[in-house]
């Protein structure tokens, strides 16, 4: 596990090129999600928009927030949070949907 | 219902007492057997895999057994028999009202013994919970939502109803009764109430209702005060009342009028004595509605 | 060389050398004193409640006052005594010592936590004096009643919101400390069990507390602006509040009990002169309790109108939690096997804990079977269950820990005979006070009842008498400890012959804990020292 | 390597804090999901009363500010204090613009009588009441986070100038940026939930 000595170099810098590409990708995805919402009004719209939002969040997390370079531990807690939220949602809907 | 609960409890209780006994016995036994005086040299034992497995697997099995009984018996408690007699329950701060298929209402729950009864429960204001300890059942009354509960009263008699979800100052006095009658008695009672409910509507005036219940002994309809304040013009007025010793102002709206009649002790109009009796079990709901509408008209 | 932390004032004098100190030991003691202060408040309120219930009808207070009493009692005991109780006081003092660190990772945030705790506490107590009076909703704050009542619900909810922050900060502080500051050689599987439980607890605090924060905030907004989230007249669903509330408040009960279990896991091996039985099993059962504990919240809602499917699933998972709890109990008891057991006061409290917690936990199983829950939900049976787990469990373990580490924290020793008497009195009083409540609940007496029908009189009377015995026990215990604080004999560095790192420094420990950071070469409870034989006498 | 401060530890503390923030917002998302499932027609009706153009514009602003925040971290690590300050300043400025736009959006809604507690509001369909309440609470709490972020960046900017934060001691800036990115992520989800889904 994580100890005093880090395996990865977490203090490096992210190059300007990577940052700009990520930024452009985020803008593109924003456009995409607005466009999808415009043409697609049925129930799939919800899922698609959430997926696009998650892709954007992923970009911010892994590039801007440098999760890509952090130790495994940080990614594991992110997973833990996602699992926790999913569990809460699922169990609550077990009540709401079958009441 | 209560036999289902008893059965489940018994099974869990036996398992739990056995485990508690085991744990306590070994705790005391080992502490005495290996006390320092007698056993000054401890042995270095750091665990045992077979034991760990044993006390993981056996409890897991026990736990599943307990869960299973709890769930299966609960299923029975949720499956309403088809021939159940349906009664609508309304909970409000702090009284119960039971409405029968023919539209009339009572403050106590009248049921035929030996016949399944299904309660459809709602609340007018906050959370309450209908609890009949004798039958070992309860279900919350939730505003904006229908909940249900069914039971069969085993024999004629009276059984207490408690409110078991905290609902404010009157929570501990939100009591009522189940009155179980034989099927014949119930049928007769039901018929009279039904006639009363439909018959009275035809002729009786609200003012006569007031007289019938003796309201006019203490109240007038012309603005002059007797023992109690006059009914004239009180609807919609801002008045001062004393609630559990504290003074506060409120508007005499419909809920307040209703409460004044059913639970006069909770808000006492300032300047008047606290002597008005509660008419909670006296006035049927439809008559009360008429009275309130009548008071509303008295401008 | 480090000096005694009691005399090292970091250049400050008097009270400000305490309330602005960033030394984890001073903060731990600050917490200890303030927590005991709140405990005393809660206890006095509890005594008043019992006095009211001594006979049917009005005895000493009005219904309105009684409602506020149990609300304040619940809020104080839960949020200000038992949740921060062990982790923030004993945990703060001992965590760095046990892992061989000089302090926690963020000493200043640690101090901030204490300040937030005090601000929250004072805010909660202030409701008594504000116009409108203290809240009367019960500590569960269920809407729509909590939206309608004119009492100071928002202020109390805000206090709980602030203490949530304090709790989160303590949690992230502890996690970071454990990850970053362990002494060389202190691998995960060499960590003392108390530290392990603090670690699991910290995770629960981090994962659950934000949920109560947002829930209470939404309740406050609901009261202030009428947002309608939980108000059925605007389309909201009161059951959603119950869900959100228990998503936090059930894990919170494991925040109370896990560190308590950690204390017992320290005491039993020490007084058996033996390494703990099944170290790994205890560690993993703790983590399992923390994980499963997160997904059982619905067992508080079996009669709420929740769907039947949910009832089944939640009941099932709840039963599963009993298994790891049992594993802990069994391993503690097995630790004594072929040990050399000496029943000094901390061990006596630990025994009381094991017995009382087992009763509390096992009656929890009666609660968690859906069929039986339908009868006992909302009755005094529940009240009995949670006093057995919280007071008999977490509370007694807290007392056990207090007696165990008292010599380490103060450098002095209390009178053994007095604390034995206190423990026995507490034990008797406790059972006389709370056991009748099981019977009351089974007979059908609902909780939060100001008045009750005469058939419940006897058990209530006995229960009230028990509260006085318990009070006597507490009085003896605290007098004994207070006397020892000033007049106790010098205790020495390792009076119990403990093996974990905190016993290898002076009592009380110096400012930065260790003259030299120790290097760990073996498990926490191993008695094989260099140059020493196994099981020294 | 005898450093007094533990940068990795500090960063770990920040990440843990951000995870609690995610759960904090998670509670609101749960309410949103449940009420949306219950009142889907009302929700789409109410959502179409929000201005997509403004929403999109604000999204672009926030994403860009996140980009400049990341940029300033890269710059300071290289020791380029000047361009780091500029990026920081732009980030704070974009945050302020975001808030101004939010403010006008809110005032327009309030001007139309749509706010919790108003008479008009209470007469709306139940689902709409809940949608707008969620809208105000979620964007309100988010705006509060933006505000805190701006203040933090101002302080960091000052620290860069006074030399507290510099090329080999940038953990404060790094943590501030992490916080800001989180605020951005929260908005990335709020945007489709409130403005787009109909
Ligand atoms: C420290 C606090 C604490 C702890 C540890 C627990 C532990 C448990 N609790 Fe308790 N509980 C509360 C505090 C606590 N509880 C509070 C405060 C409330 C009420 C809140 C309110 O409404 O105000 C409550 C309410 C409550 C309810 C809701 C009742 C209701 O309102 O209807 C339920 C229902 O399932 C429940 C169950 C359990 C279970 C199954 C455990 C288990 O974790 C217990 C596990 C332990 C054991 C089982 C004992 C040890 C094991 C053995 C000796 C051997 C092995 C045993 C077996 C294999 C069976 N609790
Ligand atoms: C850890 C938590 C904790 C603890 C320790 C206690 C302790 C006590 N509680 Fe508890 N109680 C709760 C948590 C706790 N409680 C909660 C959460 C509720 C639910 C609230 C709700 O419904 O919302 C509750 C509800 C509750 C009820 C139910 C109310 C109702 O539903 O109507 C009752 C009734 O008897 C009660 C009684 C007591 C008593 C008599 C004590 C006793 O322990 C007190 C006994 C001790 C004394 C009386 C000692 C006095 C000591 C001295 C005078 C000397 C001390 C000296 C020094 C420090 C120097 N409590
Ligand atoms: Cu109605 Cu309690
Ligand atoms: Cu629980």
């Amino acid at each position: 596990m994580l100890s005093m000595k880090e395996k990865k170099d977490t203090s490096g810098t992210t190059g300007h090129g990577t940052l700009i590409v990520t930024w452009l990708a985020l803008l593109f995805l924003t456009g995409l999600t607005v466009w999808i919402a415009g043409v697609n009004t049925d129930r799939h719209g919800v899922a698609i928009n959430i997926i696009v939002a998650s892709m954007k969040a992923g970009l911010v997390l892994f590039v801007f927030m440098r999760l890509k370079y952090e130790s495994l531990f940080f990614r594991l807690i992110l997973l833990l949070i996602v699992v926790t939220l999913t569990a809460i949602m699922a169990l609550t809907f077990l009540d709401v949907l079958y009441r | 219902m209560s036999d289902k609960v008893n059965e489940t409890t018994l099974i869990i209780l036996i398992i739990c007492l056995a485990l508690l006994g085991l744990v306590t016995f070994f705790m005391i036994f080992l502490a005495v057997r290996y006390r320092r005086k007698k056993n000054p040299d401890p042995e270095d034992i750091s665990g045992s895999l077979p034991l760990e497995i044993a006390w993981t697997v056996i409890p897991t099995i026990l736990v599943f057994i307990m869960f299973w009984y709890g769930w299966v018996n609960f299923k029975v408690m949720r499956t309403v028999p088809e021939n159940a007699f349906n009664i609508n329950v309304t909970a409000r701060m702090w009284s119960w009202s039971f409405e029968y298929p023919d539209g009339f209402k009572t403050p106590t729950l009248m049921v035929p013994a030996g016949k399944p009864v299904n309660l459809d429960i709602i609340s007018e204001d906050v959370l309450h919970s209908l609890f009949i300890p004798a039958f070992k059942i309860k279900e919350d009354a939730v505003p904006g939502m229908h909940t249900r509960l069914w039971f069969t009263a085993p024999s004629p008699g009276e059984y207490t109803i408690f409110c078991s979800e905290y609902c404010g100052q009157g929570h501990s006095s939100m009591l009522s009764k189940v009155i179980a009658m034989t099927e014949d008695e119930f049928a007769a009672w039901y018929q009279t109430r039904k006639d009363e409910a439909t018959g009275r509507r035809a002729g009786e005036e609200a003012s006569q209702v007031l007289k019938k219940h003796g309201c006019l002994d203490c109240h007038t309809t012309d603005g002059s005060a007797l023992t109690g304040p006059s009914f004239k013009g009180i609807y919609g007025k801002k008045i001062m009342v004393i609630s559990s010793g504290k003074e506060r102002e409120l508007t005499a709206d419909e809920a307040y009028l209703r409460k004044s009649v059913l639970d006069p002790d909770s808000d006492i109009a300032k300047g008047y004595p606290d002597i008005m009796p509660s008419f909670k079990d006296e006035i049927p709901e439809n008559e009360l509605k008429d009275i309130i509408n009548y008071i509303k008209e008295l401008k | 060389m480090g000096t005694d932390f009691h005399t090292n004032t970091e250049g400050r004098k008097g009270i400000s050398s305490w309330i602005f100190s960033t030394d984890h030991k001073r903060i731990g003691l600050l917490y200890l004193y303030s927590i005991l202060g709140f405990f005393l408040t809660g206890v006095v309120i509890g005594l008043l409640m019992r006095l009211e219930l001594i006979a049917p009808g009005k005895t000493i207070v009005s219904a309105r006052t009684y409602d506020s009493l149990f609300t304040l009692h619940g809020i104080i005991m839960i949020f200000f005594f038992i949740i921060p109780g062990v982790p923030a006081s004993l945990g703060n003092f001992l965590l760095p010592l046990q892992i061989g660190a000089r302090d926690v990772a963020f000493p200043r945030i640690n101090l901030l936590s204490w300040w937030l705790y005090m601000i929250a506490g004072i805010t909660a107590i202030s409701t008594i004096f504000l116009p409108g009076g203290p809240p009367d909703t019960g500590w569960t704050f269920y809407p729509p009643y909590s939206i309608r009542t004119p009492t100071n619900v928002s202020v109390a909810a805000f206090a709980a919101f602030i203490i949530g922050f304090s709790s989160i900060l303590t949690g992230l502080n502890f996690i970071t400390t454990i990850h970053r500051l362990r002494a060389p050689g202190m691998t995960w599987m060499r960590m003392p069990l108390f530290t392990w439980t603090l670690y699991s607890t910290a995770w629960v605090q981090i994962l659950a507390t934000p949920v109560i924060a947002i829930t209470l905030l939404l309740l406050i907004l609901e009261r202030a602006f009428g947002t309608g989230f939980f108000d059925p007249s605007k389309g909201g669903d009161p059951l959603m509040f119950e869900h959100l509330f228990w998503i936090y408040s059930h894990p919170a009960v494991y925040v109370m009990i896990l560190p308590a279990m950690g204390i017992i896991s320290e005491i039993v091996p020490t007084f058996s002169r033996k390494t703990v039985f099944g170290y790994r099993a205890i560690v993993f059962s703790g983590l399992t309790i923390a994980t499963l504990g997160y997904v059982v919240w619905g067992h508080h809602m079996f009669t709420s109108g929740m769907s039947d499917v949910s009832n089944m699933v939640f009941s099932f998972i709840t039963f599963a939690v009993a298994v790891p709890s049992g594993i802990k109990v069994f391993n503690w008891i097995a630790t004594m096997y072929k040990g050399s057991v000496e029943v000094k006061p901390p061990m006596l409290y630990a025994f009381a804990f094991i017995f009382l917690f087992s009763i509390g936990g096992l009656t929890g199983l009666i609660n968690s079977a859906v069929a039986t829950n339908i009868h006992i939900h909302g009755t005094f049976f529940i009240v009995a269950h949670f006093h057995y787990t919280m007071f008999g469990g977490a509370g007694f373990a807290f007392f056990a820990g207090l007696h165990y580490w008292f010599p380490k924290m103060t450098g002095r020793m209390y009178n053994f005979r007095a604390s034995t008497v206190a423990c026995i009195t507490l034990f008797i009083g406790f059972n006389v006070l709370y056991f009748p409540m099981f019977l009351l609940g089974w007979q059908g007496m609902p909780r939060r009842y100001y008045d009750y029908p005469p058939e419940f009189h006897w058990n209530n009377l006995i229960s009230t008498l028990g509260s006085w015995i318990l009070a006597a026990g507490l009085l003896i215990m605290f007098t004994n400890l207070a006397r020892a604080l000033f007049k106790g004999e010098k205790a020495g560095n390792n009076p119990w012959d403990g093996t974990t790192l905190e016993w290898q420094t002076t009592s009380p420990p110096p400012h930065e804990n260790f003259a030299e950071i120790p290097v760990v070469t073996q498990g926490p409870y191993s008695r094989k020292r260099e140059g020493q034989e196994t099981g020294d006498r | 390597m005898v450093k007094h401060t533990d940068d990795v530890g500090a960063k770990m503390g920040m990440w843990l804090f951000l995870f609690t923030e995610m759960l904090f917002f998670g509670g609101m998302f749960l309410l949103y999901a449940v009420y949306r499932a219950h009142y889907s027609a009302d929700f789409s009706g109410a959502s179409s009363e929000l201005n997509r153009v403004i929403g999109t514009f604000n999204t672009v602003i926030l994403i860009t500010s996140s980009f400049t925040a990341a940029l300033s971290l890269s710059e300071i690590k290289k020791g380029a204090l000047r361009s780091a300050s500029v990026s920081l300043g732009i980030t704070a400025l974009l945050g302020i613009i975001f808030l101004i736009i939010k403010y006008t959006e809110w005032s327009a809604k309030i001007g139309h009588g749509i706010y919790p507690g108003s008479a008009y509001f209470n007469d709306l369909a139940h689902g709409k009441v809940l949608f707008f309440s969620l809208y105000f609470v979620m964007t309100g709490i988010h705006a509060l986070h933006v505000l805190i972020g701006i203040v933090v960046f101002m302080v960091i900017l000052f620290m860069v100038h006074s030399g507290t934060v510099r090329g080999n001691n940038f953990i404060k800036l790094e943590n501030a940026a992490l916080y800001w990115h989180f605020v951005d992520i929260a908005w990335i989800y709020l945007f489709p939930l409130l403005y787009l889904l109909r």
Side-chain angles (χ1 to χ4, degrees), chain B residues 109-173:
Chain B
L109 177 55
M110 313 297 249
V111 297
K115 212 171 161 241
V117 174
N118 183 38
L119 304 177
D120 185 320
I121 309 168
I122 55 159
S123 165
E124 271 180 8
D125 36 46
V126 301
L127 298 177
H128 302 274
S129 190
L130 185 97
F131 177 29
I132 312 174
F135 309 149
K136 300 204 165 74
I137 46 166
K138 75 167 62 71
E139 183 76 13
D140 284 10
V142 185
M145 191 174 134
H146 289 259
T147 53
R148 65 195 162 79
L149 193 63
W150 78 271
F151 65 90
T152 309
S155 57
E158 289 190 10
Y159 310 93
T160 319
I161 295 177
F162 289 112
C163 174
S164 63
E165 185 63 64
Y166 176 69
C167 54
Q169 271 175 56
H171 170 55
S172 60
S173 52

Side-chain angles (χ1 to χ4, degrees), chain B residues 2-292:
Chain B
S2 82
D3 53 332
K4 295 285 165 206
V5 177
N6 287 344
E7 186 191 73
T8 318
T9 313
L10 198 67
I11 287 163
I12 301 181
L13 208 59
I14 289 172
I15 298 181
C16 287
L17 283 177
L19 283 165
L20 182 67
L22 217 65
V23 164
T24 316
F25 170 76
F26 275 105
M27 184 169 79
I28 295 171
F29 171 74
L30 291 176
V32 174
R33 169 69 184 75
Y34 296 107
R35 62 186 181 278
R36 188 153 302 170
K37 275 207 199 88
K38 218 178 139 212
N39 197 39
D41 291 311
E43 247 171 71
D44 197 30
I45 305 169
S46 66
S48 146
L49 191 61
L51 266 180
E52 298 291 348
I53 292 176
W55 62 48
T56 309
V57 173
I58 298 172
T60 309
I61 297 170
L62 289 178
V63 149
F64 286 167
I65 295 174
M66 293 188 266
F67 159 74
W68 184 249
Y69 273 95
W71 169 244
V72 170
N73 283 330
F74 174 70
K75 283 284 271 199
V76 179
M77 298 166 81
R78 293 300 283 176
T79 322
V80 190
E82 291 211 338
N83 61 342
F85 184 71
N86 211 72
I87 297 175
N88 293 334
V89 183
T90 307
R92 70 178 76 83
M93 288 154 110
W94 289 285
S95 64
W96 300 98
S97 156
F98 303 95
E99 185 188 347
Y100 300 81
D102 282 293
F104 60 87
K105 297 181 181 174
T106 57
T108 47
L109 177 55
M110 313 297 249
V111 297
K115 212 171 161 241
V117 174
N118 183 38
L119 304 177
D120 185 320
I121 309 168
I122 55 159
S123 165
E124 271 180 8
D125 36 46
V126 301
L127 298 177
H128 302 274
S129 190
L130 185 97
F131 177 29
I132 312 174
F135 309 149
K136 300 204 165 74
I137 46 166
K138 75 167 62 71
E139 183 76 13
D140 284 10
V142 185
M145 191 174 134
H146 289 259
T147 53
R148 65 195 162 79
L149 193 63
W150 78 271
F151 65 90
T152 309
S155 57
E158 289 190 10
Y159 310 93
T160 319
I161 295 177
F162 289 112
C163 174
S164 63
E165 185 63 64
Y166 176 69
C167 54
Q169 271 175 56
H171 170 55
S172 60
S173 52
M174 191 167 160
L175 310 183
S176 183
K177 275 186 296 211
V178 181
I179 298 182
M181 305 180 245
T182 61
E183 282 207 46
D184 294 343
E185 271 171 7
F186 181 78
W189 171 84
Y190 195 86
Q191 196 55 45
T192 18
R193 287 309 298 261
K194 192 172 154 190
D195 292 346
E196 236 177 68
T198 42
R200 194 199 56 78
R201 282 207 176 276
E204 210 175 343
E205 287 293 321
S207 58
Q208 282 170 282
V209 180
L210 284 176
K211 206 177 216 153
K212 183 171 92 187
H213 290 290
C215 312
L216 299 181
D217 293 346
C218 303
H219 298 275
T220 69
T221 52
D222 61 10
S224 58
L226 291 176
T227 321
S230 171
F231 290 147
K232 192 172 177 181
I234 54 168
Y235 180 74
K237 211 167 72 176
K238 282 217 180 333
I239 53 167
M240 297 299 292
V241 296
I242 296 168
S243 321
S244 55
K246 279 203 209 80
E247 229 177 273
R248 64 187 180 114
E249 192 183 72
L250 51 69
T251 313
D253 55 8
E254 199 176 310
Y256 169 70
L257 292 181
R258 172 180 286 277
K259 219 172 93 192
S260 296
V261 181
L262 298 176
D263 181 21
D265 289 347
S266 64
D267 301 306
I268 294 154
K270 201 181 162 197
Y272 292 93
D274 178 16
I275 54 166
M276 174 164 162
S278 165
F279 287 84
K280 201 164 142 192
D281 294 3
E282 308 272 342
I283 302 189
E285 175 63 16
N286 52 2
E287 294 190 7
L288 183 59
K289 276 206 180 113
D290 290 356
I291 292 179
I292 288 171

Side-chain angles (χ1 to χ4, degrees), chain C residues 246 249-251 253-254 296-297 299-300 385:
Chain C
W246 291 114
S249 296
H250 183 80
V253 312
Y254 296 115
V296 301
W297 76 81
H299 65 214
H300 296 271
H385 157 72

